[in-house]
Amino acid sequence: MAKHRNRSWGIPWGIVGLLVGLCSGASEVALAQGEACVGEPFGVGMVSLTLPAAESAAVSEVNGFALDETNGRAVYPVFTEGRILRLLGEFLPDGLPLAPPNTLSVLFLFTGDQPLDLIVHAPTPTRYRLTPRRPRNPRVHARLLQRWWREYSAAARQQARDGDYPPIVQTYLMSMFSRRLGLQPVLLDRVAEPPASQPTEVFELLTGAETLRVQTLRETNLTGHPTAEPADQPVPAPIDWRPLPAPEAEAAVEIEPIAMRVPEECFYIRFGTFTNYLWVDNLQREYGGDLEHMIALRGFDDGTSTRIEQQLALSSSPLADLLGPTVIADVALIGRDLFLREGAAVGMLFQARNALLLGRDLTGQREAAFKAERAHGATLETVQIGGRKVSFLSTPDNRLRSYYLADGDYHLVTTSRAIVERFIEVRDGPGSLGASREFRHARAVMPTSRQDTVFAFFSSACQQGLVSPRYQIELRRRLQTVTNVELLRLALWAARVENSSANTIDTLIQGGFLPPGFGREPGDRDPTETRRRLVESLDQSRASMTPIPDVVLDGVTASEARRFAELARYAANTWPQMDPLIVGVRRVAGDGPGRERLLIDARLSPFAQQKYGWVASLLGPPTHDLVSPAADDIVTLQAFVTGGSRFPLIPAHHLLVGIRDSAPVEHADDGLLPLLRSLQGIPGYLAAWPKPGFLDLLPFNLGGSATDAAGYSQLPLGVYRRQWDDFSALALDPQLLAEVTPQLAVAKGEDLAQVRIHVGDLSAAQAQGWVDSWAYRRAKQASMGNVKLLHALSQQLGVPREQALQAAETLLDANLVCSLGGTYNLTQVAGQIPMWASDRWADPDAAPAAEYCAPLLKWFRGLDTQLTMHDDRVELHATLDMQRKASEPKLGLPLFQNLFGGGSKAADQAKPAEKAKPADQAPPAAPAPATRRPPPPAAEIIPPPPGETEP
């Protein structure tokens, strides 16, 4: 019977048995209760226990398990619950158990060969005593170590996916183990790590992408700095950019006066009137504090808005609320970069109606900031720049860094001395943005008569400056400095959890907690001073660096020169020009109370299409033709595409994605194919006309499947297809195809375009509940991801649980925020280990998303967009409908609060994370803490990081 059943299933049971053996840990070292295998530098141990389902569910959800050993010898545990086994169980016959239910396996490293007295908190403590043994065959230890490494890698990978913060902790630990133990990344980690490329790295560097920061930390921890290269090479010459001349604008084109005072290498975001300035500020305050949080709340706040406001010493005042429009005629945000976290070169430029009153207010704010920060070393002095007296307010750590110069009706407040110098130089016109040919062309395209609420211009000179030798080399140096501070803090924690006395950079290197050569900078012959600054940086949270244009770059290393030469070659061969970007936003009254409509126009002009390569070649020529979607579609995206240089045999065709306005079917996220299950719940379809085109590339054998009389056929993975006339359509629901396909038709659009997007009012759609539910799941995942980080700091690095929140925020230099709007607290149940949780997590037995409203649905009421790429320009036109709510105007820096992310949250959406509250009850009895070795006296002893007491 058994054999017959196996043959009927058609499953290779030998392979399944092997998988079951690997997943359940069956091997010569696995016993019913546990095993410890001695090795160097670490032994490997494992214990297994069966947990009551009700007790372990909440702990498992946030990875709140813990492992203690009386003498602190058991470290770096990983807790597994047989997830792979449960997935396999979905495909195996009923009644075939693969493992006991609710089994928790704990794998860990340990030192020494004496008996281990363990306590597993899950969350109730369970005690074990294991006697380590030294196996006769060394491969036994190697196999158990590999199993620990696979499980540890999987847990780190999952935590990085669940979290909304940079995976610094996981990256440090994984790279440290690779270096110390000679362990190679597992296959899934190698596949997930794409190869670096020159354009990708440059883009990530310019945008401050977290991926490059994590990559730098990983590479430094793996390889270190074995030699200190001297910075004895000359600074490379700038890239020889090929000119991209703009069409000559008419002499009569109107240029706003404030643009004539902006250096041409600065970006320029103009509000036109102070009323528009306040409108942008109000918009962001209403819905989360920045445009990013208007779509989805993030799980951390790095405080960039607060840093920039504090740096510039610009804050709220009654003048702004009451007299702003009568005192200020025009206002613009200008700057050289947007590296708000590291120390941006930015400023606010005001054109005054009443220069005396505006000057008094700005001066008063500066004097108040000086008095408030005098105890922290603040100075307020007058400096000479370009023959002018300039007020300079600063602190040693750059938390205050504000230059102020009034020149007639123009008042500049900036973080950068270089911007002040150029502001003075261009006062007579030459070298200013307003006098440049590119800007005159921009104003011919989008004239001032449009009265844009916001007008933005990013010149080619501004973009070229970001790829200059100064910016590229200094950005990498700063990235290295930031990651060095993170590595040092993590290494201190790792040394303490291993009972090591290492507490200087040298001893941390000797112990393997830091890589060889750590703490060197380009040109260092003696790294003593650099190391001293690194140690001091541990206590300088929220400090900012000097803006890059103000940094003197005297020389570079051979490696830096070689890297920039590669970039210059890439630019010469592939990206020889920069395309100026023009954006105009106008607001008009919408339909209904509180409604507003934004008319958005963006243009790359002049534009050189050839450097965009195969990506640009995928778009067909602009056309009036379009596919008219089904009447009940709430979302449609269609593009006129061709195979381009990558797929030259694919002809031009229209590709349409549509989502119906119906309530999607909810599916569980777990399972072997969660993506497919999620897609099955979305009432969407994919259609093409007049040929299948790119649909032919999908692995569904479109041309070979048998069709019925109406053109229907069933494809693998539950996909259905219909072909009729010149149309082809795919969906996961045949009934949906039957409803949609008769409505698809060819129509003519008013304007030429290649890409068209329509999104209806989701707040009034049947799919509203699904959007809220999806947003809730994402928000709760981010909220739980933060708690997993807090528990990981205690599990892996020995940070006491009550100090984990402060330690995490110090490490990330950001506040952890519950994306559901709650507060993180350390909760205590008698007899169990304390657990972190948010007070907004719903009861799992209730409908958690029933009362949750996605941030997007609070204001979004519809979008229509079309994009057209011509030979000499790219145009985007969009109409965005919004629902506004009343709010009081406040003076702030709206584009720091924050157009670019990291702004403070609105009070009704998210509260800042609070520190741990005292437990209501005393913690349960626990084993004596591990004995820590006293640190030896040394001149370089590093104090405990903030958030951790002295051991």
Side-chain angles (χ1 to χ4, degrees):
M1 290 292 293
K3 291 182 179 179
H4 176 74
R5 182 183 61 181
N6 292 350
R7 284 196 298 269
S8 67
W9 269 80
I11 295 177
W13 288 105
I15 296 177
V16 172
L18 175 61
L19 290 172
V20 171
L22 290 174
C23 297
S24 60
S27 70
E28 61 177 295
V29 299
L31 301 178
Q33 189 179 32
E35 178 74 0
C37 186
V38 176
E40 295 296 337
F42 293 108
V44 189
M46 181 186 71
V47 294
S48 298
L49 62 156
T50 300
L51 305 176
E55 180 180 290
S56 64
V59 187
S60 173
E61 197 171 29
V62 294
N63 195 21
F65 303 109
L67 175 69
D68 288 329
E69 201 277 328
T70 303
N71 297 306
R73 291 168 47 218
V75 291
Y76 308 121
V78 57
F79 305 86
T80 65
E81 302 170 85
R83 290 183 294 272
I84 297 177
L85 289 176
R86 288 200 298 271
L87 295 177
L88 286 175
E90 297 181 11
F91 297 92
L92 299 181
D94 295 336
L96 180 63
L98 293 176
N102 307 316
T103 297
L104 176 70
S105 294
V106 186
L107 290 103
F108 57 92
L109 304 182
F110 68 91
T111 57
D113 57 4
Q114 299 301 307
L116 297 164
D117 292 313
L118 305 169
I119 297 184
V120 178
H121 300 272
T124 302
T126 303
R127 297 179 180 271
Y128 291 89
R129 183 177 179 85
L130 294 182
T131 301
R133 69 182 181 92
R134 190 177 300 275
R136 296 178 181 178
N137 188 343
R139 287 182 296 180
V140 173
H141 175 271
R143 282 198 295 267
L144 191 56
L145 180 63
Q146 281 297 326
R147 184 187 172 191
W148 169 85
W149 181 236
R150 286 195 302 269
E151 298 285 4
Y152 201 94
S153 300
R157 189 167 54 248
Q158 182 63 47
Q159 188 171 351
R161 282 197 297 262
D162 292 345
D164 196 27
Y165 49 84
I168 299 171
V169 175
Q170 299 94 327
T171 302
Y172 168 76
L173 290 169
M174 297 294 291
S175 55
M176 181 189 69
F177 292 136
S178 290
R179 174 170 44 80
R180 290 175 68 182
L181 304 180
L183 297 169
Q184 297 299 315
V186 298
L187 177 60
L188 286 178
D189 288 336
R190 295 197 298 269
V191 171
E193 186 69 24
S197 65
Q198 185 69 50
T200 301
E201 286 192 359
V202 170
F203 176 77
E204 291 180 342
L205 201 62
L206 296 180
T207 57
E210 295 168 358
T211 53
L212 190 57
R213 176 184 173 191
V214 172
Q215 177 185 331
T216 302
L217 189 146
R218 180 190 301 111
E219 291 176 354
T220 301
N221 201 23
L222 285 172
T223 61
H225 303 286
T227 60
E229 288 186 279
D232 57 359
Q233 303 292 311
V235 178
I239 295 173
D240 186 17
W241 298 103
R242 191 178 305 166
L244 186 63
E248 187 68 44
E250 296 181 6
V253 65
E254 182 180 357
I255 304 296
E256 62 270 29
I258 196 172
M260 302 299 295
R261 302 307 310 270
V262 179
E264 63 181 338
E265 69 272 15
C266 288
F267 67 79
Y268 173 67
I269 302 176
R270 183 209 181 202
F271 303 95
T273 66
F274 197 74
T275 301
N276 290 341
Y277 178 94
L278 293 177
W279 174 84
V280 176
D281 187 28
N282 291 340
L283 172 63
Q284 296 173 111
R285 291 177 184 274
E286 289 173 15
Y287 298 106
D290 60 64
L291 298 188
E292 181 181 20
H293 284 83
M294 293 175 69
I295 299 174
L297 295 179
R298 294 207 67 178
F300 70 99
D301 174 17
D302 59 11
T304 50
S305 62
T306 304
R307 298 182 199 210
I308 296 299
E309 288 181 16
Q310 185 177 39
Q311 272 196 309
L312 291 175
L314 288 175
S315 58
S316 272
S317 72
L319 174 66
D321 294 345
L322 302 177
L323 302 177
T326 60
V327 174
I328 298 174
D330 206 346
V331 58
L333 169 66
I334 67 173
R336 296 282 300 276
D337 61 67
L338 293 168
F339 306 129
L340 307 180
R341 182 184 175 96
E342 293 80 11
V346 293
M348 297 298 299
L349 180 59
F350 301 93
Q351 181 183 5
R353 298 185 191 276
N354 188 323
L356 180 62
L357 196 55
L358 178 59
R360 285 179 178 174
D361 183 72
L362 294 176
T363 300
Q365 292 187 50
R366 299 171 67 78
E367 291 175 349
F370 165 65
K371 292 177 182 178
E373 292 293 331
R374 181 184 295 175
H376 299 99
T379 59
L380 180 58
E381 56 187 324
T382 299
V383 296
Q384 288 284 334
I385 302 178
R388 299 291 304 276
K389 293 182 178 181
V390 179
S391 171
F392 181 43
L393 173 64
S394 65
T395 54
D397 61 1
N398 280 330
R399 283 185 302 109
L400 278 176
R401 183 180 176 86
S402 176
Y403 292 91
Y404 169 49
L405 174 61
D407 187 15
D409 290 337
Y410 295 95
H411 297 249
L412 173 67
V413 184
T414 178
T415 62
S416 171
R417 180 187 178 99
I419 289 180
V420 176
E421 292 172 348
R422 292 285 292 135
F423 173 73
I424 295 171
E425 290 175 3
V426 305
R427 69 187 312 271
D428 296 324
S432 71
L433 185 69
S436 69
R437 186 171 179 173
E438 283 184 359
F439 190 81
R440 293 178 61 81
H441 167 66
R443 273 313 188 191
V445 171
M446 294 187 189
T448 56
S449 59
R450 287 166 43 104
Q451 297 185 337
D452 288 311
T453 306
V454 180
F455 174 82
F457 183 71
F458 294 83
S459 66
S460 59
C462 174
Q463 299 175 57
Q464 291 167 8
L466 294 173
V467 198
S468 66
R470 180 195 299 269
Y471 261 89
Q472 286 293 298
I473 293 171
E474 180 62 23
L475 277 173
R476 288 193 177 275
R477 290 181 180 181
R478 292 179 178 216
L479 189 62
Q480 189 67 66
T481 298
V482 170
T483 55
N484 280 350
V485 174
E486 294 168 347
L487 280 170
L488 180 55
R489 180 171 284 120
L490 289 162
L492 286 167
W493 285 335
R496 291 188 174 104
V497 83
E498 291 187 30
N499 281 327
S500 171
S501 60
N503 58 0
T504 69
I505 291 179
D506 282 334
T507 55
L508 288 168
I509 293 174
Q510 293 168 9
F513 304 104
L514 287 174
F518 176 83
R520 293 181 180 271
E521 289 184 351
D524 272 351
R525 298 187 182 275
D526 180 3
T528 303
E529 179 61 22
T530 302
R531 291 180 171 185
R532 183 189 64 79
R533 291 197 302 268
L534 272 175
V535 174
E536 291 176 351
S537 297
L538 293 174
D539 295 323
Q540 293 180 356
S541 177
R542 310 296 172 122
S544 294
M545 300 181 187
T546 302
I548 292 178
D550 297 358
V551 174
V552 177
L553 189 64
D554 293 324
V556 302
T557 67
S559 296
E560 290 172 335
R562 186 165 51 251
R563 183 184 290 271
F564 189 80
E566 293 173 359
L567 172 60
R569 283 194 296 272
Y570 173 82
N573 297 328
T574 309
W575 202 275
Q577 306 106 348
M578 291 292 188
D579 305 319
L581 173 63
I582 316 164
V583 181
V585 180
R586 290 175 290 160
R587 58 189 175 102
V588 298
D591 298 330
R595 293 284 182 95
E596 281 188 344
R597 171 167 290 181
L598 299 187
L599 306 176
I600 304 168
D601 298 294
R603 175 181 290 218
L604 284 175
S605 178
F607 168 72
Q609 181 182 142
Q610 65 274 9
K611 64 176 174 285
Y612 295 91
W614 68 270
V615 176
S617 71
L618 293 178
L619 289 180
T623 178
H624 286 283
D625 292 337
L626 57 88
V627 176
S628 178
D632 292 334
D633 286 357
I634 190 67
V635 177
T636 57
L637 165 62
Q638 61 177 299
F640 187 51
V641 296
T642 182
S645 59
R646 288 292 179 91
F647 310 99
L649 297 181
I650 294 181
H653 61 286
H654 290 265
L655 201 60
L656 171 69
V657 177
I659 299 178
R660 306 281 285 158
D661 184 15
S662 60
V665 179
E666 293 286 349
H667 288 277
D669 288 337
D670 56 350
L672 190 62
L673 298 172
L675 176 61
L676 180 59
R677 294 187 178 189
S678 298
L679 292 176
Q680 288 174 337
I682 300 176
Y685 62 93
L686 181 63
W689 173 86
K691 298 291 183 180
F694 276 107
L695 296 190
D696 281 336
L697 297 181
L698 298 177
F700 295 134
N701 190 25
L702 292 182
S705 300
T707 60
D708 61 16
Y712 289 91
S713 61
Q714 184 173 358
L715 307 173
L717 299 179
V719 177
Y720 294 85
R721 170 177 62 92
R722 188 191 179 199
Q723 287 184 302
W724 74 107
D725 298 334
D726 290 329
F727 284 91
S728 180
L730 300 175
L732 294 171
D733 181 1
Q735 182 60 37
L736 185 147
L737 279 181
E739 296 174 357
V740 165
T741 52
Q743 302 182 56
L744 299 183
V746 180
K748 294 287 185 181
E750 295 182 3
D751 301 311
L752 290 168
Q754 289 125 320
V755 179
R756 293 178 170 88
I757 302 173
H758 168 77
V759 183
D761 184 356
L762 296 173
S763 68
Q766 297 184 54
Q768 174 189 357
W770 179 84
V771 175
D772 286 335
S773 178
W774 176 85
Y776 177 86
R777 290 196 301 271
R778 297 289 298 175
K780 188 171 183 180
Q781 176 180 308
S783 179
M784 288 186 167
N786 285 346
V787 168
K788 290 181 180 180
L789 172 63
L790 302 183
H791 291 155
L793 286 173
S794 300
Q795 287 174 0
Q796 307 301 325
L797 295 171
V799 176
R801 289 211 169 191
E802 64 274 11
Q803 298 173 10
L805 180 57
Q806 182 182 352
E809 293 181 342
T810 300
L811 177 66
L812 298 173
D813 198 10
N815 293 326
L816 291 184
V817 177
C818 175
S819 44
L820 293 173
T823 300
Y824 294 121
N825 302 306
L826 189 63
T827 60
Q828 178 74 70
V829 176
Q832 297 182 359
I833 193 171
M835 298 281 295
W836 284 97
S838 167
D839 57 10
R840 289 295 296 270
W841 292 354
D843 184 337
D845 296 329
E851 300 180 359
Y852 182 83
C853 180
L856 178 70
L857 297 189
K858 293 183 178 181
W859 62 270
F860 181 85
R861 296 298 179 264
L863 172 71
D864 282 288
T865 302
Q866 61 183 38
L867 180 143
T868 311
M869 185 176 70
H870 302 277
D871 292 336
D872 61 343
R873 67 190 186 279
V874 176
E875 298 177 341
L876 180 143
H877 304 284
T879 301
L880 174 64
D881 291 324
M882 306 177 62
Q883 179 67 52
R884 299 297 304 275
K885 60 183 180 182
S887 62
E888 298 180 1
K890 298 288 184 183
L891 176 63
L893 299 180
L895 293 191
F896 297 128
Q897 289 198 185
N898 182 327
L899 181 63
F900 311 105
S904 57
K905 317 297 179 295
D908 64 335
Q909 290 204 12
K911 299 177 289 184
E914 297 180 2
K915 308 307 176 189
K917 295 182 179 180
D920 296 332
Q921 303 178 33
T931 303
R932 308 292 184 185
R933 299 176 185 174
E940 286 186 322
I941 288 180
I942 303 171
E948 181 175 347
T949 57
E950 183 72 61

